[in-house]
Amino acid sequence: MFFRFWFLAPARLTEYDTIRYCQYDTVIKKRAGARMPGKARLGEGCFVKKDVIVSISGLQQADEQEPDKVELVTPGRFYLRDGNYYISYHESELTGMEGTRTTVESAARRRVSITRTGRNHSQLCFEPGQRSNALYQTEYGPLNVATITERVESCLGSDGGSLEIRYAVEIDNVYAATNHLKIDVRVS
């Protein structure tokens, strides 16, 4: 039996029923006749904040230039709230944003927002086929940034997973680069 809805209704399970839960197929080995908790919202009690290892790989390609690749592995936190997955980590001097906390929100597996707080403030939104405008605060001053998202692919579940975003960036309405961002989350 596969269920695809946000609430789990009380159900009698046979010994090896499969339920779509937390966006992953999970075989629940319950004794025949066991009952699932009723009306539990996805996100409530699914899992608490977990310490994770966050691996970030970014590739930026500007017109006729060599691709610029950045990789970062850092500790972070991973949690589920109101049906959305969150990845949170602190930037380092390696990224040039020391003193900044980054939170990645993956909503509905097709929409992602990246919010930075602290020394650098910004919020970038990514949804396939959509243009999103933002004011990107840097230590040198604000920039008008637009992202045009080509693809978002989220394979996040209670044990981590991966998230990929492919998008173009415009600064002050001028094409700057095409980016490919991949974030892997592994429970530590």
Side-chain angles (χ1 to χ4, degrees):
M1 303 172 27
F2 288 95
F3 298 92
R4 290 189 89 155
F5 49 85
W6 296 105
F7 296 92
L8 292 174
R12 291 210 170 265
L13 301 176
T14 59
E15 191 165 339
Y16 294 98
D17 282 338
T18 301
I19 294 179
R20 174 76 84 189
Y21 186 64
C22 292
Q23 300 180 10
Y24 276 84
D25 292 330
T26 305
V27 176
I28 298 183
K29 298 175 182 175
K30 294 275 188 181
R31 282 180 273 188
R35 293 180 65 83
M36 291 294 294
K39 296 184 181 178
R41 272 179 46 107
L42 181 64
E44 290 180 357
C46 196
F47 65 92
V48 295
K49 289 184 179 182
K50 295 181 179 182
D51 291 325
V52 294
I53 300 298
V54 181
S55 302
I56 302 155
S57 174
L59 183 68
Q60 186 174 65
Q61 175 72 52
D63 286 334
E64 299 179 24
Q65 293 182 8
E66 288 293 315
D68 186 19
K69 187 171 184 172
V70 176
E71 292 186 354
L72 173 69
V73 177
T74 186
R77 303 283 283 177
F78 180 60
Y79 55 98
L80 179 67
R81 183 176 18 167
D82 296 329
N84 299 332
Y85 289 100
Y86 292 83
I87 305 161
S88 180
Y89 60 93
H90 291 279
E91 298 283 350
S92 70
E93 63 183 69
L94 181 68
T95 62
M97 291 188 283
E98 188 176 20
T100 302
R101 178 186 173 133
T102 298
T103 302
V104 179
E105 176 187 5
S106 176
R109 300 174 71 96
R110 301 276 299 158
R111 191 179 77 236
V112 173
S113 67
I114 299 177
T115 305
R116 291 197 168 106
T117 57
R119 183 181 240 172
N120 296 300
H121 294 276
S122 66
Q123 182 171 19
L124 299 174
C125 297
F126 304 94
E127 192 167 355
Q130 299 294 314
R131 176 188 180 94
S132 177
N133 296 308
L135 189 61
Y136 199 81
Q137 292 288 344
T138 69
E139 59 187 56
Y140 306 107
L143 293 173
N144 289 316
V145 175
T147 58
I148 301 98
T149 307
E150 178 185 322
R151 187 179 82 172
V152 171
E153 189 173 311
S154 176
C155 296
L156 295 172
S158 61
D159 291 325
S162 66
L163 178 66
E164 285 191 61
I165 308 167
R166 188 176 301 272
Y167 60 99
V169 175
E170 291 180 355
I171 298 175
D172 289 329
N173 294 318
V174 177
Y175 172 80
T178 299
N179 294 347
H180 180 214
L181 178 66
K182 182 171 184 191
I183 302 173
D184 288 311
V185 178
R186 185 171 33 96
V187 176
S188 54

